[in-house]
Amino acid sequence: MKTTISKQFTVEEPIAKVWDHLSSPEKIVVCVPGASLTETIDELNYKGEVMLKFGPIKAKYSGKITFEELDNDHYKMRLNGKGLDSKGKGSADMIMNGVLTENGAHTDVDCTMQVTITGMLAQFGSRLINDVTDTVFDQFVQNFKDQLAGKEVDNTLSAGSMIKGMFGRK
Amino acid sequence: MIRCKTSKEISGMGHSMKRKEDDRFLQGKGNYVDDIQLPGMLHMDIVRSPYAYAKIKSINTEAALAVPGVIAVVTGKDLEQYNLHWMPTLMSDTQMVLPTDTVMYQSQEVAAVIATDRYAARDGREAVMVEYEPMKAVVDPYKALEPDAPVLRSDKEGKTDNHIWHWEVGDKDATEKLFNEADVVVKEQMHIPRIHVSSIETCGCVADYDKVENHLTMYMTTQAPHAIRTVIALVAGHVGLTEEKVRVISPDIGGGFGGKVPVYPGYVIAIAVSFLVGKPVKWVEDRSENLQADSFARDYHITAEMAGTKEGKILGTRFKILADHGYTDAAANPSKFPTGLFSIGTGSYDYGTAYMEADAVYTNKPPGGVAYRCSFRVTEAVHAIERITDRFAMEVGKDPAQLRMENFIKKEDFPWKSPTGWEYDSGDYHAGLKLAMDTVEYDKLRVEQAEKRKNGELMGIGISTFTEIVGAGPSKDFDILGIKMFDSAEIRVHPTGKAIARFGTKSQGQGHETTYAQIIAEELGIPAAHIQIEEGDTDTAPYGLGTYASRSTPTAGAAAAVAARKLRDKAKKIAAYLLEVSEEDLEWEPGKFFVKGAPEKVKTIQELVFAAYTNHPQGMEAGFEATHYYDPPNLTFPSGAYICVVDIDKETFEIKVRRFVAIDDCGNIINPMIVQGQVHGGLTQGLAPAMYEELIYDEDGNILNGTLMDYLVPTAVESPSWETGHTVTPSPHHPIGAKGVGESPTVGAPPAIANAIVDALSPYGITHMDIPITPYKIWKTLKAKGVIE
């Protein structure tokens, strides 16, 4: 079950600051709803966890986070997160591509998230997974903006917030 | 049209007698497997694989065993100690009961949790930790045959690819020559989607092993209890469960449709656990487990071709099949027929050249290939021939009804030998289609359609004129695991003229308790109301292969008639003795024998039965009982002519079935009301794959619609108002001239609906669409054709 979502947005911050946040694991991972870093292997490889909960289903993926690309000159990065559910209910694989472009004093952010889910969650089909991924992504963007603005980031993800997110939009 | 020989009081054949079983069903007094409660009974739940293909690195049961009420967690390694970790399938393939190292499809059984109640078992299931190493799944059957595809069944010695078997029938060279030389050849690639029977009751069992008596009672949802008993004895004989020590009971069954023929791992695990702990063990699947793991049906990829003349004469057909069997060939076909009776696919048309071939393949999907309300792959065959016939009509520019009328096998040409070797017993295809056309007012509809097309409106008319092949089957060709496919009836008439009759079949909603009683009433004159029917207990019923593939009336129904005739012969001897005349002087009228020319000298069947116990002739065996094992001389060939009218919204492409006329010919009719009920249910289950149902897997082998939220089983809301009727062409070789009807509508409806939709879209150059045809699929197809933006 694969789903790909792209989002473009602009932040009112200079590119160097935005890149500093996007390319730093400690800063970027906490913007991903439900995610946390548990171990640093080296500067490109980390161990982490992602908790997802929707409806009656809870999944806790633990695995590896790798920066597959970190191009400081062109402000391009690719992050790969791979995890297995701790209870053996399935696996998740996420590739995030981020590119920054200078836009005057502001920065344009182009982000693509490709999520592959196997197992119990995948059985819900695209009907649910697309919406959930989209909501998670929106929340990520909001968290990222908040962090840049110096606000506190709450990256817990709950069924309540997700359902509100899914239905609130429409 | 149906003439009854018996009075309403007797209610023999042709009477719309109300179903005897409905008294208990309508009052909620049915007794299903899940209703069974035994003292000390344990409950089982099953841990299932989230992956389609993965190595099992470890199974940690510690947390599960700590759940209050959980007493054991059974894994493949545990069963391996008793050599019970695998089992044979009905197709002589092998299947894991529980895996020891690798899982082969999503939702496969991985471990079983045994607990004192069902909730504890479910909690325990959630607590079992399994560590997997996922592998790249093989999902597409065509890719599975590529040389670099991983070999999935590495457990089978010497296996170097994913190919299971090759099958062919017909004259390959003659067909090739014909196709090379024919004026017109049409060809379409079709997929008959993987679907699921989704019976209301899921599968389950209560395995009750008595250590003291060394005896197993197995209550289970099976359509074939006797065959299951034999299989259990063959598989578990080495641990002492020989056949006399096994009793299989099928209580009331809430729908089977072929899905309750196979043996599922859950049954075997329950038996193994009960055997080891000496307590009854209950296992009942939930809805999603049933949908995701139990036997699928169909999943045939068919290349269909038809050759003919410019004038529209059909000359030959050629079909090439790729059969996706999933992890193992767990179909339930007769042994010699790996593609079931697909070879009926030459259809209702008079031509002499055909060739069919099939290859089966393993993939990382659940196993199966069961005959879902269809006599072994007949649905797939009928879809192919009826779709390609329409395609041919389109190519030669002929009305599909007229083309069919011109190509039908004629009534007087029966028995008719088909190019794939079947001998069709009887049929009147012209009469059936004519009645359907008259009922629907076909010519008027075509005029209306022409008018609507001028305005760009989408209206379609689809026809399906199918020939079914049911009643498996004659022992020279038909067996399952070597057991011949006869069936049986045993009638015992008590001294007061009331009877009990037992059968080797098993009703799952077909109404056997009524129709069998009516057959016996017809032959013996005892009121059907006085005849109790019993099935499903191997300790009491005579041996038989069970109920599926529309075989019950053709086999066990025939056995009932023949057994009843044996009793009528005995009654005649007693009547001759009591009336002091010779047997030749007696005449039969339903319910009594009287002396020719002297109707006042009469003995009723009840008097004669009483005499069999109280005053039987010297030298005659006392009592009034008979048993018959009926081995049919041929199969029966029911037919039907279905016409479907659809209107498609030109903005949303929503499909509305405006009318559906179904004319069935199932030979002589036992109970018209039950036939109508069967046809209504069958048509709805034919509508399902035509417009709604398909089990969808992604490239990793995840099922994407594993719940009834996403797998769309049609309800009364989606079902159109079915218009039914019949023609009657009795089977010449069947004792009561009946043919079987349970499956005809499921087989005949999908191509009628698909043909109607394609007909509606044909002005835009569309010649074929795979089922299920949804508004989205129509939109995509029209977009691809450039018809819409």
Side-chain angles (χ1 to χ4, degrees), chain A residues 1 84 88-90 119 123 127, chain B residues 50-51 292 698 702-703 710:
Chain A
M1 173 76 237
L84 289 179
K89 283 180 193 151
Q123 292 171 4
R127 194 164 57 86
Chain B
Y51 298 107
Q292 295 175 11
D698 72 7
N702 294 303
I703 181 166
D710 299 294

Side-chain angles (χ1 to χ4, degrees), chain A residues 20 29 31 40 47 53-55 64-65 68 77 82 96 102 111 119 121 128 132 134 150-151 156 160 162:
Chain A
D20 174 51
V29 169
C31 294
T40 305
K47 282 190 180 170
K53 180 170 186 283
F54 30 111
K64 234 174 109 178
I65 300 161
E68 294 184 338
M77 58 83 79
K82 249 186 181 41
M96 191 171 94
E102 204 158 14
C111 242
L121 287 182
L128 191 55
V132 167
D134 196 49
K151 291 184 201 163
T156 54
M162 186 156 308

Side-chain angles (χ1 to χ4, degrees), chain A residues 1-2 61 83-92 116-129, chain B residues 48-52 106-107 125-130 132 134 292 698-700 702-707 709-710:
Chain A
M1 173 76 237
K2 195 180 278 182
Y61 296 106
L84 289 179
D85 175 54
S86 57
K87 282 191 174 174
K89 283 180 193 151
S91 66
T116 310
I117 291 174
T118 317
M120 213 159 151
L121 287 182
Q123 292 171 4
F124 286 95
S126 52
R127 194 164 57 86
L128 191 55
I129 300 298
Chain B
R48 292 175 184 274
S49 169
Y51 298 107
Q106 195 179 56
S107 292
R125 180 182 96 162
E126 295 303 311
V128 174
M129 305 283 190
V130 186
Y132 298 94
Q292 295 175 11
D698 72 7
E699 56 185 9
D700 296 319
N702 294 303
I703 181 166
L704 298 185
N705 52 356
T707 75
M709 277 297 286
D710 299 294

Side-chain angles (χ1 to χ4, degrees), chain B residues 573-734:
Chain B
K573 287 190 170 65
I574 300 170
Y577 167 74
L578 295 178
L579 293 167
E580 298 176 333
V581 293
S582 79
E583 284 182 54
E584 293 75 54
D585 295 330
L586 289 171
E587 208 158 310
W588 169 257
E589 182 178 293
K592 56 194 158 197
F593 276 109
F594 60 92
V595 179
K596 281 178 194 164
E600 72 285 356
K601 295 188 79 177
V602 62
K603 288 285 172 193
T604 66
I605 187 70
Q606 287 79 6
E607 289 169 326
L608 296 168
V609 171
F610 194 67
Y613 291 90
T614 58
N615 182 25
H616 60 288
Q618 283 298 309
M620 179 188 271
E621 204 180 337
F624 209 73
E625 298 183 11
T627 305
H628 190 77
Y629 280 65
Y630 185 77
D631 182 1
N634 189 6
L635 294 120
T636 60
F637 296 80
S639 61
Y642 292 178
I643 300 180
C644 173
V645 185
V646 298
D647 296 297
I648 302 174
D649 187 292
K650 56 183 181 178
E651 307 285 332
T652 64
F653 308 112
E654 190 188 356
I655 306 155
K656 185 174 166 24
V657 177
R658 188 203 304 180
R659 291 189 70 187
F660 197 107
V661 171
I663 305 299
D664 275 287
D665 193 331
C666 57
N668 287 333
I669 291 173
I670 300 162
N671 182 321
M673 180 196 72
I674 287 180
V675 167
Q676 197 187 24
Q678 288 255 36
V679 173
H680 277 225
L683 290 171
T684 308
Q685 286 184 313
L687 170 74
M691 286 173 54
Y692 303 103
E693 292 182 12
E694 178 178 16
L695 292 165
I696 303 167
Y697 291 84
D698 72 7
E699 56 185 9
D700 296 319
N702 294 303
I703 181 166
L704 298 185
N705 52 356
T707 75
L708 292 190
M709 277 297 286
D710 299 294
Y711 184 84
L712 303 177
V713 176
T715 65
V717 176
E718 289 79 18
S719 306
S721 175
W722 308 111
E723 300 170 60
T724 61
H726 52 257
T727 53
V728 177
T729 315
S731 169
H733 63 76
H734 188 271

